[in-house]
Amino acid sequence: MIPLKRSLSHPPFIFNKSNSKSLRSLIKNTRSTNETFSSPIPIFYFKFSDSTMPIFAANSSSFSKVNTYFPDSVNQPTLTSTAQTFPQIRTFCVKRTNPNAELSASNDIPIVSTVSGPIQTSQPIDAGSSMRKPISLWPGMYHSPVTNALWEARSSMFEKSGAEKDSRTELVAKTPSMSRTSIAYKFSSDYILREQYKNPWDEMRMGKLLEDLDALAGTISYKHCRNDDGATRPILLVTASVDKMVLKKPIRVDFDLKISGAVTWVGRSSMEIQLEVTQSTPDSPDPSDSVALVANFTFVARDSKTGKSAPLNQILPETEHEKLLWKEAEERNKMRKQKRVAEKKDVDNRDEDRLNALLAEGRVFCDMPALADRDSILIRDTRHENSLMCQPQQRNIHGRIFGGFLMRKASELAFSNAYAFAGAAPCFIEVDHVDFFRPVDVGNFLRFKSCVLYTELENPMKPLINVEVVAHVTRPELRCSEVSNKFYFTFTVRPEAVKEGLNIRNVVPATEEEARRVLERMDAERSQ
């Protein structure tokens, strides 16, 4: 016998062979009557909305909320109340009232969990409940409520892009305010949402936050490309790069969080979106001190049929702040171009003395390991790796692997690597500039390889651990492997761990190739 979960105010209700047979008999004899039936003990009831599908609803407040969408081809069942009311009636389906619903005028997307927590006193509002998509047409259903809500908002724009309109060749100038969008995380009141974003140390999972940042930047880029009539030209918008992100203050998972952003700069076929992560805490109630992170994403537009670069709507900054952001973005774009030119130059003229100095200790490890420095370790001995198949559930709206998913997986592997290296929980500080060299498709075999590239021990109370993660896209049937992304993360450890005697080791290269990678990263850090 399996007891049905119930609140303590109800007498026991147990499913057994006798009452289950009577229930089946009741269903068989009355399935076409379109009536509502309740169990003798009102824990649940069911109704026949038509002659083929009984609909069940639970009355007990001890049940958790479940949202499931039925395709439009099936009549949406209507639940009715019984004579006896209970605190919560869990709805099993939601009908979409406006299939072309767009973002609200406030441009603020509240994000809540789809399951109510045990300490909540009121029902949260599901950000996507009013425009739920069929599961078969909705990619990335495993993602967080944030990415789901953002992709649902984006789909209302994307649905119109297939129409044959003259607007596909028309370009208009738009202000940054027209693309501004915000996400509100109600961590202080939404228990389940908070559970999805905290790590084992009750801190923010930065990988999930990076994933949400990429999803929000993509939604903002689509809003900028949408014309006044709501139509979007048939173009593909993909993440090209992400500038260095430095954490200005710790992000707490028990206080409300907000991410807002807009398009700040537009070239011919590329645009930059700046996002701000803000959080007010008792330590920083001043709004000017609430900015925790600033991220700059660069997206490029491609024609959906030819794959060539496509022109974009231009930007018209209005306020002085918007004009300042435009100038800063213009300078960053020039610096990116100069960096690409510098990387093409011959690197063989690098300082040989620095190279040999880095390799000196590594040669001792290789040739005389018994005499090697016990406070040092070889780069190759810090390696970790993660492999996975790219599944359809990880695709974006264009059918390719969601860039935010790649950033999250790289971030979590880097965190694990730093944790295993330091022997204590690491604290995220920054992620350096990220380039997306090639797209990742469904069915690709993806390998993430990470290592501690070098450490900075000048400040004993705040040692820095620099982790490199390289994503390789492999296709075994073609015997090929290509680099998709390179990620560089910086972590530290808590001062308490250092006071308790934690020792962070020095990392040394064993090969010339490793030494060159270390020098390139050190020079890149100094140039920023």
Side-chain angles (χ1 to χ4, degrees):
M1 294 188 298
I2 304 175
L4 181 67
K5 188 175 182 181
R6 57 182 175 77
S7 55
L8 295 177
S9 61
H10 297 304
F13 183 88
I14 300 176
F15 284 114
N16 54 37
K17 292 184 178 179
S18 60
N19 59 27
S20 64
K21 288 182 180 178
S22 62
L23 178 61
R24 286 196 298 270
S25 175
L26 180 63
I27 293 175
K28 180 178 179 180
N29 296 331
T30 60
R31 61 186 299 172
S32 61
T33 61
N34 196 27
E35 297 181 6
T36 300
F37 298 90
S38 299
S39 61
I41 300 171
I43 296 180
F44 76 95
Y45 68 91
F46 64 93
K47 176 189 174 183
F48 292 94
S49 59
D50 54 34
S51 60
T52 61
M53 182 183 295
I55 304 301
F56 290 84
N59 291 336
S60 174
S61 61
S62 62
F63 288 128
S64 295
K65 180 179 177 182
V66 178
N67 281 338
T68 303
Y69 178 82
F70 289 83
D72 293 335
S73 59
V74 179
N75 293 330
Q76 301 297 316
T78 303
L79 299 178
T80 60
S81 61
T82 57
Q84 187 173 358
T85 60
F86 291 87
Q88 296 175 339
I89 299 221
R90 305 300 187 184
T91 304
F92 276 71
C93 66
V94 179
K95 183 176 180 64
R96 187 174 67 171
T97 57
N98 184 3
N100 293 320
E102 300 184 7
L103 296 176
S104 62
S106 64
N107 287 337
D108 188 65
I109 303 177
I111 302 300
V112 299
S113 66
T114 55
V115 183
S116 58
I119 61 173
Q120 288 179 279
T121 58
S122 61
Q123 286 284 355
I125 301 173
D126 184 357
S129 62
S130 63
M131 48 185 181
R132 181 70 61 191
K133 290 286 184 184
I135 293 179
S136 61
L137 301 180
W138 192 247
M141 287 301 295
Y142 80 101
H143 288 300
S144 69
V146 175
T147 53
N148 285 340
L150 287 170
W151 282 349
E152 287 179 356
R154 194 187 309 179
S155 69
S156 64
M157 313 173 214
F158 189 74
E159 285 172 349
K160 298 183 179 181
S161 63
E164 295 293 334
K165 290 180 175 287
D166 295 335
S167 61
R168 69 167 55 196
T169 58
E170 294 178 359
L171 295 175
V172 296
K174 306 186 74 172
T175 63
S177 60
M178 298 174 72
S179 64
R180 182 164 296 279
T181 309
S182 301
I183 301 177
Y185 297 76
K186 302 298 183 181
F187 286 138
S188 61
S189 58
D190 194 332
Y191 168 79
I192 296 298
L193 184 67
R194 185 165 68 247
E195 285 294 308
Q196 294 182 54
Y197 281 82
K198 76 175 185 179
N199 65 16
W201 297 273
D202 290 333
E203 297 173 347
M204 173 64 69
R205 287 179 60 187
M206 294 302 300
K208 288 187 69 68
L209 190 62
L210 294 177
E211 184 178 42
D212 293 348
L213 288 171
D214 184 77
L216 176 58
T219 300
I220 291 173
S221 67
Y222 268 91
K223 289 188 69 176
H224 180 78
C225 295
R226 184 180 54 175
N227 292 339
D228 294 336
D229 59 357
T232 304
R233 293 182 298 114
I235 58 176
L236 302 178
L237 293 169
V238 296
T239 310
S241 65
V242 184
D243 283 350
K244 183 176 184 177
M245 289 184 276
V246 180
L247 190 65
K248 297 183 178 181
K249 68 171 190 175
I251 298 177
R252 298 181 58 174
V253 77
D254 53 345
F255 286 89
D256 291 350
L257 186 74
K258 185 176 182 179
I259 306 178
S260 59
V263 175
T264 56
W265 176 89
V266 177
R268 180 190 173 277
S269 60
S270 62
M271 70 177 82
E272 182 173 301
I273 297 99
Q274 184 171 99
L275 306 175
E276 279 191 351
V277 181
T278 57
Q279 185 179 61
S280 296
T281 62
D283 299 333
S284 57
D286 188 354
S288 60
D289 298 330
S290 62
V291 178
L293 185 72
V294 177
N296 295 298
F297 284 75
T298 300
F299 278 70
V300 295
R302 295 287 183 265
D303 187 275
S304 60
K305 295 182 178 180
T306 65
K308 297 181 180 179
S309 61
L312 292 169
N313 294 333
Q314 291 301 302
I315 195 79
L316 282 179
E318 294 179 312
T319 66
E320 292 300 322
H321 180 63
E322 291 174 351
K323 293 177 181 179
L324 177 62
L325 293 178
W326 185 91
K327 291 180 181 179
E328 293 176 349
E330 179 72 12
E331 289 297 322
R332 284 192 294 269
N333 183 60
K334 291 179 180 179
M335 290 180 61
R336 280 193 289 266
K337 291 181 178 179
Q338 294 173 0
K339 182 181 178 181
R340 284 194 292 267
V341 173
E343 288 177 348
K344 293 180 180 179
K345 294 181 179 179
D346 191 5
V347 296
D348 290 338
N349 296 326
R350 196 176 295 275
D351 188 353
E352 292 296 328
D353 292 338
R354 296 173 63 202
L355 200 65
N356 291 328
L358 277 175
L359 287 170
E361 187 61 32
R363 291 183 179 126
V364 175
F365 267 93
C366 295
D367 300 332
M368 297 172 288
L371 302 179
D373 184 4
R374 293 295 176 255
D375 290 330
S376 298
I377 187 174
L378 292 176
I379 290 178
R380 67 189 183 196
D381 292 332
T382 68
R383 292 174 181 169
H384 287 261
E385 185 173 326
N386 185 22
S387 301
L388 57 94
M389 286 296 301
C390 296
Q391 305 292 346
Q393 294 79 16
Q394 296 150 3
R395 71 191 187 277
N396 59 19
I397 202 167
H398 298 306
R400 283 179 164 163
I401 299 304
F402 174 41
F405 169 78
L406 301 176
M407 296 177 66
R408 176 169 65 86
K409 298 299 289 186
S411 173
E412 292 176 348
L413 178 59
F415 184 94
S416 301
N417 198 338
Y419 184 27
F421 172 78
C427 300
F428 174 86
I429 293 182
E430 66 182 34
V431 54
D432 202 0
H433 181 91
V434 179
D435 285 311
F436 290 78
F437 300 120
R438 70 176 304 276
V440 183
D441 296 318
V442 173
N444 285 158
F445 182 47
L446 197 60
R447 300 182 67 185
F448 291 92
K449 300 179 180 180
S450 72
C451 68
V452 178
L453 205 55
Y454 65 97
T455 55
E456 299 175 68
L457 309 177
E458 290 79 8
N459 184 355
M461 297 305 298
K462 191 178 181 180
L464 301 181
I465 304 169
N466 295 273
V467 181
E468 176 191 65
V469 180
V470 182
H472 296 262
V473 178
T474 64
R475 301 184 65 183
E477 66 276 10
L478 299 179
R479 300 178 62 232
C480 70
S481 178
E482 298 178 279
V483 174
S484 170
N485 308 85
K486 289 185 178 180
F487 305 89
Y488 297 96
F489 297 88
T490 303
F491 299 91
T492 187
V493 293
R494 296 176 180 82
E496 308 85 65
V498 177
K499 291 179 181 178
E500 292 175 359
L502 180 66
N503 181 39
I504 301 299
R505 304 168 75 178
N506 184 41
V507 180
V508 295
T511 65
E512 186 173 328
E513 184 270 337
E514 291 177 343
R516 291 188 183 280
R517 282 161 49 200
V518 173
L519 288 179
E520 288 175 3
R521 289 307 311 152
M522 288 181 173
D523 292 342
E525 285 290 331
R526 293 191 183 99
S527 63
Q528 295 176 358

